[in-house]
Every structure is written in structure tokens, then in C-alpha cells.
Amino acid sequence: MKNKIKKVQEWIPIKEILDNGIIKLKNESYIKIIKIIPINFNLKTDFEKEQILNSYKIFLKTCNFNIQILIQSKKEDLAQNIENIQEKLKNENENIINIGNNYINYIKKINKENFSSSKNFYILIENSKLKNINNEEVYFSELNEKYIKIKDTLNRCGNLVINVNTKKETTEIIEAFINKREYLNKT
């Protein structure tokens, strides 16, 4: 017996992509995508780090619902940055040119060793199908309440929480995860 090859649409649980970062799944539940822009924890003082950790504990205690944290890494091509630096060095004195060339070599080394990457952080929140409730507005309202709770608590940690607003943005996020290899190699 030959195994039947499934189409992508058959194994992805997505039924429909809606507005406001909401995805309707085939099992009639809903997921909302929230983008997080984190702080640089390493640059904080010990006191600030303690405050951030305490706020994060509150975030975890407050979220009495399922969440999933996703991190998307993307390799960065620094060639354009190098070209910009080289252009600016054309009219500089010898000392500045030497410093600039050392910096360019450092950037090239980082780029060659694949240390240059950017990361996108997302939180997914889910609303499971409730018995005898077929009103999408109830689900959307509940997802929005969860979003506000997450936003309030993560803002206290210093993170910026962004609501994914459009179908296009939601689709791009999903495609980046599905086409991970292609996304990682984009320059």
C-alpha cells in the first residue's frame, strides 16, 4: 500500500486567518498572535533585574490560561552596513580610516560566523471551543481580555507588547514558521 501524500493545507490546523492576529483553527478554537519586543536584560542593573524578574513572576501567575512563546531567528546580512561605513570613510583622516577598517573586519567576522541575527518574539494565546457557544464575538472578547492582561504585565517588565493587527502580518508570521529554512537564509 502506498502512503497517501497529504497536501500542506491538510496537515496545517488553520481554517481561516482573521483580523487582529486571530486565527480560526479547524477544531473551531481560536488563537491570537501577540508580538513582543523584549528589553535587553543584560544591560540592566542588579536592582532593575530583580524588579523585572518579580514582574515576570506576576506575569506567569496572572496567565491562568495556556500560552505558547515562539522565537523566530533570522540571519542578518551586514553587507549594506559595511558598504555604508566604507562610503563614510572615503573623506576621513588616516586614524578614522584605520578604526573604520578594524570595525568592518569585526563585522565581517561576526557575519561569517553567523552570529549576526535578529529575533522576533511572539506569544500565542488560545481560546478553546466552548460548549453551546457559536458566537465568534465571545471568543474575540475573551482573547482580547487575555491580550490586555499579557500586555499590562509584560509592560511592567519593560517589554513592548504589540497587537498583530492585519491578516497580512499574521500570514507573514505563519509563513515564516512554515518556511523556516527559507526564512533563515533570507538576506
Side-chain angles (χ1 to χ4, degrees):
M1 242 192 229
K2 287 186 175 181
N3 288 338
K4 182 182 174 193
I5 298 174
K6 290 186 175 183
K7 295 178 185 176
V8 172
Q9 293 85 349
E10 292 178 35
W11 60 264
I12 293 179
I14 297 171
K15 183 174 183 178
E16 182 179 2
I17 297 174
L18 307 168
D19 289 324
N20 287 330
I22 297 175
I23 301 166
K24 184 175 184 177
L25 301 178
K26 290 177 182 175
N27 68 1
E28 301 300 321
S29 64
Y30 296 84
I31 290 177
K32 180 169 180 60
I33 300 176
I34 303 169
K35 184 172 183 173
I36 310 298
I37 300 178
I39 57 168
N40 192 334
F41 188 76
N42 294 328
L43 296 178
K44 302 298 181 182
T45 66
D46 289 339
F47 178 75
E48 289 172 321
K49 287 179 181 180
E50 187 176 328
Q51 295 299 316
I52 291 166
L53 289 174
N54 287 333
S55 295
Y56 191 69
K57 287 178 194 174
I58 292 169
F59 161 70
L60 293 175
K61 288 180 182 179
T62 304
C63 290
N64 55 351
F65 47 85
N66 292 336
I67 63 169
Q68 184 175 4
I69 299 172
L70 299 173
I71 303 170
Q72 212 177 42
S73 294
K74 179 182 175 188
K75 182 182 170 188
E76 293 292 332
D77 181 13
L78 302 176
Q80 185 61 47
N81 296 54
I82 292 170
E83 286 179 29
N84 291 342
I85 294 169
Q86 288 171 332
E87 186 64 35
K88 290 180 181 180
L89 289 176
K90 286 183 178 177
N91 299 325
E92 294 294 337
N93 66 44
E94 189 176 326
N95 288 336
I96 299 295
I97 291 172
N98 286 335
I99 292 169
N101 286 332
N102 287 337
Y103 184 61
I104 289 171
N105 290 333
Y106 173 72
I107 291 174
K108 286 179 179 178
K109 179 182 174 194
I110 288 175
N111 206 28
K112 184 178 180 183
E113 294 172 354
N114 294 327
F115 288 129
S116 56
S117 67
S118 63
K119 294 188 183 335
N120 293 320
F121 296 85
Y122 301 96
I123 293 181
L124 303 181
I125 50 179
E126 181 183 8
N127 248 7
S128 298
K129 176 77 173 154
L130 301 171
K131 293 180 183 177
N132 302 323
I133 297 180
N134 292 324
N135 187 346
E136 283 188 339
E137 293 302 317
V138 172
Y139 295 109
F140 298 163
S141 176
E142 199 172 311
L143 284 171
N144 195 48
E145 287 176 25
K146 291 175 181 179
Y147 161 71
I148 291 169
K149 189 181 282 191
I150 288 171
K151 182 177 180 177
D152 288 344
T153 55
L154 285 181
N155 280 340
R156 287 186 210 137
C157 299
N159 299 296
L160 182 59
V161 180
I162 300 172
N163 190 17
V164 176
N165 286 318
T166 64
K167 287 181 184 182
K168 181 181 182 213
E169 193 176 1
T170 305
T171 303
E172 288 172 356
I173 293 167
I174 293 167
E175 285 177 354
F177 278 103
I178 293 171
N179 301 320
K180 184 177 179 183
R181 186 175 312 264
E182 182 179 315
Y183 180 78
L184 287 173
N185 293 326
K186 276 186 179 179
T187 54

